Amino acid sequence: MTLHSFALYLSNRIQEAQKITIEKLFEKTNRSPATIRRTIHILNEYLEEEKHFIVTESKIINQLTYTEYIQFIQQLTLFDYATTWNERLCFYSVFQWLMVMSISQNSMNYWKLVNPLRKKTDKIFFKNCKNSS
């Protein structure tokens, strides 16, 4: 399973408090206790067994030191994390800006970038037209 920004937020709150009630997390996050427990279960899949967050009936207990928590975050890969629509939109905007700046500063030749793609799609298009007639 992948982690979402909520899981990282939740793990940060638990790590800071060391021991926190599920009710208090519910008040802070406005997420149901079931969602909080499910998220902790997903987080525990990424941790060594002796470092798991302990979930009791009403509390969650942290077993990670701050250094271990930072190492846990750093060892996550792009495949472990699912971005939100807002993060994807920001990335796309930055990508567009970089493309515009590169082309306008003559550090990238737009036609060299697009021409190979155009030729391939043109060949496929004309081949399909020829086959359909």
Side-chain angles (χ1 to χ4, degrees):
M1 296 197 86
T2 57
L3 296 174
H4 297 270
S5 58
F6 175 69
L8 298 180
Y9 173 81
L10 193 64
S11 66
N12 183 263
R13 296 285 78 79
I14 296 166
Q15 200 287 320
E16 284 179 353
Q18 291 297 310
K19 184 189 298 183
I20 192 166
T21 64
I22 293 174
E23 182 66 31
K24 191 163 199 147
L25 287 171
F26 167 71
E27 291 168 5
K28 284 186 176 190
T29 63
N30 204 24
R31 304 280 177 101
S32 72
T35 299
I36 292 169
R37 282 190 171 92
R38 189 171 42 252
T39 304
I40 295 301
H41 177 71
I42 293 168
L43 281 164
N44 281 341
E45 290 178 10
Y46 289 90
L47 294 167
E48 299 169 21
E49 194 167 332
E50 63 274 359
K51 301 295 180 186
H52 280 188
F53 292 105
I54 299 170
V55 182
T56 65
E57 194 164 314
S58 63
K59 291 183 183 175
I60 299 174
I61 303 166
N62 175 43
Q63 298 190 95
L64 294 169
T65 65
Y66 181 73
T67 306
E68 291 169 334
Y69 178 71
I70 296 299
Q71 289 172 348
F72 160 66
I73 298 297
Q74 288 176 340
Q75 61 96 22
L76 294 174
T77 67
L78 286 176
F79 300 108
D80 297 328
Y81 181 71
T83 57
T84 63
W85 68 269
N86 199 17
E87 291 167 331
R88 288 189 296 275
L89 185 62
C90 287
F91 174 77
Y92 183 68
S93 297
V94 168
F95 176 74
Q96 284 181 318
W97 180 81
L98 286 172
M99 290 294 289
V100 167
M101 292 304 293
S102 296
I103 292 167
S104 67
Q105 303 276 329
N106 289 330
S107 59
M108 178 187 291
N109 186 327
Y110 178 74
W111 293 112
K112 282 185 180 177
L113 183 68
V114 174
N115 254 353
L117 299 175
R118 242 183 74 221
K119 287 179 184 175
K120 287 181 184 176
T121 55
D122 288 350
K123 284 181 185 177
I124 293 169
F125 174 75
F126 288 120
K127 185 178 179 181
N128 288 341
C129 287
K130 183 180 167 183
N131 292 339
S132 65
S133 54

